[in-house]
Structures are given as structure tokens and as C-alpha cells.
Amino acid sequence: MTTDDVFIGVGLLVVLAVGSQLLAGVLRIPALIVLLPAGFAAGALSDVVDPQRLLGAAFSPLVSLGVAVILYDAGLGLDLGRLKGHNRTVVTRLIWLGVPVTCLLGAALAVPLLDMSRGAAVTLGAVLVVSGPTVVGPLLALVRPEDRLRHVLVWEGSLIDPVGGILGAIVFRAVDAGTQPSAARGVLHFLASVGTGAAGGVVGAAVLWALFRLVRPGEVLGTTAQLAAVIGVAAACDVLQDDSGLIAAVLMGLSVANLARIDVPVRRTFFETLVSLVIGLLFTSISATITPASLRHVGLPALGLAAFLVVVVRPLVVAVCTARTDLSRAERTFLGWMAPRGIVAAATASTFTSALVARHIGGAARILPATFVVIVATVTLYGLTAAPVARLLRVVRPSRSRPLLVGGEPWAVDLATTLRATGMEVLMWAGPPEQRDRIERAGIELAPGEMLAGATGPGAEWEGVTGVYLLTAEDDFNTLATSILRGGVEGPVYRVGPAAGSQGWAAPDAGGEVLFGPHLTGRALARRHRDGAGIVAVPAREAVAGGSDLLFVVRPGHRLEPVTRGGPPHAGPQDTLVLLTPAR
């Protein structure tokens, strides 16, 4: 390829990756539904976007490192405190029992349906066991299922990727060597991969812990240090043992997210942007390697395989893995209807297909196009039906607001208690230990994360936070946190107003919605509360005591609308008013 061809190819892949995600966001559909057809169409119309021509032998290693970065990011969003009881049992069974059952059943049907040899069919079955956070996360964001279902699916998707990658490597090695997949040899290879990945994860986590504790890099260097560590450790592990880098990446993310006394620099400004770009590039580049000719005799049989996995295999696996647990029938049914295939399936299929074709393994050329069809079919099916199915089963989270109140001042805790009394789910976060104790004594749920970045990062998305309210006594903190959090969390960010004429180091008009009227600053609220003012909730149709100030309007369905400097929201007769009453 000429230099001009490389420029055009790389530029087109980046534009397609980002443009497809933008289009998917506008259409409110999973990005994968757009990314795969876009890459396939580009590859069919032009040779310049073929990554194997652009990158040559570097393509497969770069795919593996890109997947490692994605899995590290997924590991950072996993809170061990949320995986307990029967949830832990279900996730463990889905990994250690569901993976081999799915692999064997998928391979059994692939032999006659796709006219494959046993080796190619088992390889395809191993490839198709994985799901992954890159497809599960966006689907859950659209569906908004109950907390329990969300936690189980997120954990399964994040852990099944490295396990599936290692299983695929075991099967590939056996088939490539021309031998039957021996149970003893497979177990030894699996244990070696897990051991190498675990050791790499421990080393990587220790390096990051020492870095954050001793060097204390800022946000920019801290984020790039995480990126360098996960790529370096994953590459070293893959050199020692194939696909062990995926295990190391997930374990590093888990360790960093759950280690106590470790201040992880904010990563949203760069790391999440990088992960989004990597996902787009991987999907478009891998789908660009698939030719229309390769789909000619694979399309319909692969659709039949996808239907078998969706209608028979997944419900069977979930039924077995949830037996004798306290999950309801509706929860089990929804889990049985959620198993989209994602980036690791595409990456492993792309890695193994060319090597098996070169070995003249019967049907090996059908592995990648069949995987492509199954990915598109499952993501499209689940993307279009998951929300209606969840509503039909009544496992959708209520549309009520779930505010995160930041600050543990007595008046803020009183406000949280009043909002909870209206039937609303309320989260709080505070830094000082005495404020956290005050929140817990009041029976209010503390948001996860020792730092505000942790409470408003991926955890906030999984906890269903719909808005952040900065209510601390530090005006500068509220102002600065508003500017940092805006655009980084789902929902709006509000802050209490600073005292009139305050001369803090942060500009008081740095942006963000300011709560309440101009005379109800944070200090004024705290003072009036100390003097005996109360925070109460009363129906809008009842008379309001003189001298009361309106703070919030709670709509039917527990939707929260605050009073801002722009004015109070209109209150209807069915609404509830949250008021600051005069001092007794």
C-alpha cells in the first residue's frame, strides 16, 4: 500500500468509528448495530480500510491490547461489595458452568449447520461464549433494569470476556496442533493462563498502588500511567501465555477500584474517551475484514445458530445457574433474554480464523463471518426487544428520580430524610468521617467510593443516579466540583449558591445550575436550620405556612424538580412541595 492509501484508510476508520457512535447516540440504539454494518460496507467497497493490509502482523496484537484496555476500564467499574449472596452464586455459575455448556451446545449445532469440522466448530463455540461490557453496558443503560439484574449482568459480562478468551486459546492450540482437545492438557493450559494473568494483575496493581501512594501524579499523568501499566502488563502476560493479558487487565481494574486508601486520579477526561474510540476502531476494523463472498453461504445457517443460542442455550443455562436461588421467575426470564455477543468474540474469531485456514482446517473460513452474523443478530435482537421484555416482566427500575446529595451538613441530611419520606430513593456522599457517620445514623444510603470521583464515576451510572446536588459548606468546592462533573455524569449537576460577596479562589459564576433563590445560599440554609427551621414535605393542594421557602417539587412518580435561580417550577395539585419552614 502507498502512503496515501494508509492515510486514507486510517482516517476513514477513525471517522467511521466515531461517526457510527454519534449516529447510534442520536437514534438511541446500541452503537454496535451501526458500527458493524459500517465497517462491513467500507470493507466491501474499498480495500484501503482492510486492517490486515494497513497493519500487517501487528493487527492481532493491537486488537488484544485494545481489548485489554477495555477490560481494565470494565474492571474499574466493578464493586466487590455489590456482589454477595445469591448474586455471587449466580455469577459464579454463569461463568464456570454456563461457559462450557454454551461452547459445547453451540459447537454441536455448528457441525451440521455450517458444514464444519469438529475442530472448527469447537473453536466457533468457544468464540461465541463471550458477551462483554461493551454491549451489555449500553443495553442496560437503555433498559434500566432493577439493581440486582444490572449487577449480575455487568459482572457476568466483565468476567466472561477473559475466561472466554482463554477458552478460545486452549481450543485453538489443540486444533492448530492437529490433536483432539485433551481434558488434562486443556486444564493445565487454562490454569497456566489464569496463573500468569493473576500474577500479572497483582504486579500491575502493586505498581499502580505504589505510584499513586508515593508519586501522587496529577489527573493527566495518573491517567496515562494507568494506560501504560495495563498495556505493559497485558503485553508481557501475552508473551508468556496466550490471552492471559485479558485476565491481568480485569484484575488490575478490580484491584484499583476496590483497594482501600488509594486515590485514583480522575480518568473520565481521557480514559473513557480512549475506550470509546478503541471500541469503535476495533468493531469497524474487524468487520472490514469480512467480505460479502464469505457471507454468501454462511448467512442463513449462522442466523439459525444465533436463534439456537438465543432461544435454547441461554434460557437453559440461566435456568440451571439460577436453580435454588432467590431470584424471581421474572428476573430469571430476563437474564435468559440477555446474552449479546461483543468485541472479544469478534477479536478472538479474527485472531484464530486466518491461522486455522492456513492449516486447512475444514470450515475454518466460516468462523469469522459466522461470528459476525451472530454478533449482529444478537445485538440487534436484544437491542430492540430488551426494553419491551423488561417492561412486560416488570423488572424495570421505576422512572423516579434518584438524587445524589453531596455533603453531610445537618440540614442536608434533614433534606435527604424528607425526600426519602416522599418515597424517593436518595443517595448521599460526604468526605469527613463525622459527616459520613451522621448520614449512616440517619439511615441514608452512602454512595460507593471514598472520593467524589468514585461516587460519581461508573458507580453512579450503575446505581441509577439521575442528578447530583452539591450541598457542602465549602463554596469553592461546590463551584469547582460543578465544573468538573458537568458532562461527566448522567443527569444535571446543581450546587447551592455561595454567600453574597464571597471572595473564594474559585469563580462563583463558574457554571452549573444554582439552587434555590438568591437569598437561600448554603450558609443561609445552614444558619436557618440551626436556628430551628425545618424541612418538610406537604401536598401542593394544602395551605403553605407563611414565611416558608420552596426548595423542591416532587412530581407524581417521584420525579424531583428543584427551585433554581431561574425560578420555581410550576406545581400542580397532585405534586408534593418540599419546604424550608420558619424557625419555631
Side-chain angles (χ1 to χ4, degrees):
M1 299 185 74
T2 66
T3 303
D4 290 345
D5 289 338
V6 174
F7 277 128
I8 295 173
V10 173
L12 187 56
L13 282 175
V14 173
V15 171
L16 283 175
V18 177
S20 298
Q21 291 172 320
L22 288 173
L23 179 60
V26 172
L27 299 177
R28 292 188 59 80
I29 59 175
L32 194 56
I33 296 178
V34 183
L35 284 167
L36 289 179
F40 173 74
L45 296 174
S46 174
D47 292 335
V48 296
V49 294
D50 186 351
Q52 293 175 340
R53 295 184 62 197
L54 286 171
L55 302 173
F59 177 56
S60 291
L62 288 176
V63 168
S64 297
L65 294 179
V67 173
V69 172
I70 294 171
L71 293 183
Y72 173 77
D73 179 72
L76 285 175
L78 298 179
D79 182 5
L80 290 173
R82 299 289 174 178
L83 188 67
K84 53 189 176 183
H86 285 185
N87 287 5
R88 182 190 296 271
T89 302
V90 171
V91 171
T92 303
R93 291 176 180 175
L94 287 172
I95 300 299
W96 300 113
L97 181 60
V99 165
V101 170
T102 303
C103 174
L104 294 177
L105 291 179
L109 185 63
V111 172
L113 200 60
L114 291 166
D115 191 22
M116 286 181 164
S117 64
R118 289 184 180 180
V122 174
T123 304
L124 178 60
V127 165
L128 294 179
V129 302
V130 297
S131 177
T134 59
V135 287
V136 172
L139 284 176
L140 294 180
L142 292 175
V143 178
R144 296 182 64 83
E146 296 173 350
D147 287 349
R148 183 175 198 176
L149 293 174
R150 184 171 62 248
H151 292 148
V152 169
L153 288 168
V154 169
W155 272 92
E156 180 199 10
S158 299
L159 296 180
I160 205 170
D161 272 358
V163 172
I166 292 174
L167 176 64
I170 294 172
V171 173
F172 167 74
R173 277 176 171 264
V175 174
D176 188 45
T179 63
Q180 294 296 324
S182 161
R185 183 180 300 177
V187 169
L188 289 176
H189 184 93
F190 180 80
L191 293 177
S193 297
V194 171
T196 303
V202 170
V203 171
V207 169
L208 289 176
W209 182 86
L211 178 68
F212 296 147
R213 293 285 292 174
L214 301 178
V215 181
R216 297 184 180 276
E219 177 182 336
V220 175
L221 283 178
T223 304
T224 52
Q226 293 177 71
L227 177 64
V230 68
I231 290 179
V233 170
C237 290
D238 282 336
V239 169
L240 297 175
Q241 191 75 23
D242 288 344
D243 290 303
S244 60
L246 303 184
I247 287 283
V250 169
L251 290 180
M252 285 178 65
L254 266 172
S255 302
V256 171
N258 292 275
L259 277 175
R261 300 178 182 177
I262 179 170
D263 296 341
V264 182
V266 178
R267 62 190 177 88
R268 290 187 302 273
T269 54
F270 174 73
F271 210 89
E272 291 183 353
T273 302
L274 175 66
V275 168
S276 176
L277 180 60
V278 169
I279 290 172
L281 287 174
L282 288 180
F283 276 127
T284 52
S285 60
I286 290 173
S287 58
T289 64
I290 301 170
T291 63
S294 66
L295 293 175
R296 186 170 302 158
H297 303 294
V298 176
L300 289 179
L303 285 176
L305 178 61
F308 177 70
L309 293 172
V310 169
V311 177
V312 178
V313 177
R314 177 64 177 185
L316 175 64
V317 166
V318 170
V320 173
C321 294
T322 58
R324 297 183 180 181
T325 64
D326 60 357
L327 269 72
S328 67
R329 179 177 296 180
E331 291 172 331
R332 297 180 186 186
T333 303
F334 183 76
L335 287 178
W337 193 250
M338 278 292 287
R341 272 54 180 181
I343 186 62
V344 174
T348 52
S350 174
T351 302
F352 300 152
T353 297
S354 57
L356 293 180
V357 169
R359 295 282 186 177
H360 303 291
I361 302 298
R366 299 185 182 94
I367 294 176
L368 182 56
T371 303
F372 174 83
V373 172
V374 172
I375 291 174
V376 173
T378 55
V379 172
T380 303
L381 177 64
Y382 292 129
L384 297 177
T385 63
V389 168
R391 288 194 296 268
L392 180 65
L393 296 173
R394 298 181 180 179
V395 294
V396 181
R397 280 185 57 85
S399 59
R400 68 182 67 181
S401 299
R402 197 180 196 193
L404 170 62
L405 309 185
V406 179
E409 297 292 328
W411 74 269
V413 177
D414 194 5
L415 171 62
T417 304
T418 302
L419 291 177
R420 190 180 61 174
T422 67
M424 189 172 299
E425 298 181 33
V426 181
L427 286 172
M428 292 196 76
W429 182 89
E434 65 274 10
Q435 293 188 2
R436 298 175 70 88
D437 291 341
R438 183 182 297 131
I439 293 169
E440 291 182 326
R441 287 197 303 270
I444 305 296
E445 184 180 356
L446 266 173
E450 293 298 320
M451 298 185 66
L452 183 58
T456 56
E461 181 182 350
W462 300 128
E463 297 303 320
V465 171
T466 58
V468 179
Y469 298 80
L470 296 158
L471 310 177
T472 75
E474 300 294 333
D475 295 333
D476 286 334
F477 174 86
N478 295 335
T479 303
L480 183 60
T482 299
S483 62
I484 293 175
L485 295 179
R486 279 189 306 156
V489 298
E490 295 290 333
V493 179
Y494 301 94
R495 61 186 173 96
V496 291
S502 61
Q503 299 296 323
W505 54 267
D509 297 324
E513 288 276 7
V514 179
L515 292 168
F516 317 133
H519 63 287
L520 279 182
T521 64
R523 296 181 187 179
L525 280 162
R527 183 180 64 253
R528 288 179 58 176
H529 190 266
R530 285 195 304 269
D531 293 341
I535 299 177
V536 299
V538 299
R541 58 180 176 272
E542 294 185 5
V544 175
S548 298
D549 290 288
L550 179 63
L551 302 180
F552 294 92
V553 174
V554 182
R555 305 291 189 192
H558 305 95
R559 292 179 293 109
L560 187 65
E561 292 190 22
V563 176
T564 65
R565 292 287 174 87
H570 172 74
Q574 302 301 318
D575 296 332
T576 300
L577 308 181
V578 178
L579 306 169
L580 179 69
T581 61
R584 299 183 183 87

